[in-house]
Amino acid sequence: MPHIALNSDHPGIIGLMVHRPDTGGPLGDLANALLRAPSSLEPGERELIAAYVSRLNGTEFCASSHGAFAASQLAGGRELVQDVLADPGTAPISGRLRALLDVAAEVQSAARPVSDRAIVAARVEGADDTDLHDTVLIAAAFCMYNRYVSGLATELPKDDEYYAQATRRIVADAYRAGTPTGIQETAA
């Protein structure tokens, strides 16, 4: 049960964003900029970074949502995402993406500079400044999103169909109107 009374029955961050559109709008805009706007990283790769950080943080709603979004946009689909979330070191992904996930894990673990080792490893695998910037910002932002969702004890969807519906909206329409699944509601 959420720690605060919400004015909708939407799960996870969606319920929070619908409840407070004044803060939900900018959070949704940030998600759109990070995960859907033009970047050297493909949208599926960025969603995978978000899902991985969320899994490391133990935030099931975000890990499952962004894992589903990534699976729909990456060759290998759900199985690939499950492999990465279980162990990116053995998952069938590029060396570049594996190195960027290592960078994301360092960002998730503590607020300190990413190690020179991780940066060099990413560069050796072909990561450029934009890849590194975007990876660090996605990881940092998802630490915030995860703490928002978990800190207020939001609820999970009642069934997995929620993730399938959200995936269809995200892939078709991106993150719109301040909510990460395009839900167009205002506070009651």
Side-chain angles (χ1 to χ4, degrees):
M1 173 173 231
H3 291 317
I4 62 173
L6 300 175
N7 56 1
S8 79
D9 61 355
H10 294 291
I13 198 168
I14 307 309
L16 297 170
M17 294 172 94
V18 167
H19 180 71
R20 289 289 307 270
D22 56 328
T23 56
L27 290 173
D29 291 344
L30 178 59
N32 196 59
L34 294 174
L35 303 174
R36 300 298 295 186
S39 171
S40 59
L41 296 170
E42 295 297 320
E45 293 173 319
R46 290 179 275 163
E47 293 286 1
L48 188 59
I49 292 166
Y52 180 61
V53 168
S54 298
R55 177 57 49 92
L56 293 175
N57 282 325
T59 305
E60 187 57 36
F61 177 82
C62 297
S64 295
S65 296
H66 294 282
F69 306 159
S72 73
Q73 298 175 81
L74 293 171
R78 182 175 290 201
E79 185 175 329
L80 174 70
V81 170
Q82 290 171 340
D83 289 347
V84 168
L85 296 183
D87 181 6
T90 61
I93 56 175
S94 70
R96 174 178 158 265
L97 185 54
R98 182 174 291 108
L100 292 172
L101 290 168
D102 188 40
V103 168
E106 285 196 23
V107 172
Q108 180 273 335
S109 72
R112 65 175 181 264
V114 173
S115 70
D116 291 341
R117 179 209 55 80
I119 297 297
V120 168
R123 288 194 186 284
V124 165
E125 293 294 342
D128 63 18
D129 286 351
T130 302
D131 297 336
L132 291 164
H133 172 275
D134 291 359
T135 297
V136 168
L137 187 53
I138 291 165
F142 272 83
C143 286
M144 176 194 62
Y145 287 126
N146 297 160
R147 282 154 181 75
Y148 185 38
V149 168
S150 296
L152 288 171
T154 62
E155 295 185 359
L156 291 172
K158 295 188 181 5
D159 62 56
D160 285 342
E161 179 57 25
Y162 173 87
Y163 299 112
Q165 290 174 3
T167 298
R168 287 190 291 276
R169 286 192 299 268
I170 291 299
V171 172
D173 299 323
Y175 295 83
R176 302 179 288 147
T179 63
T181 61
I183 295 169
Q184 304 283 320
E185 291 186 36
T186 59

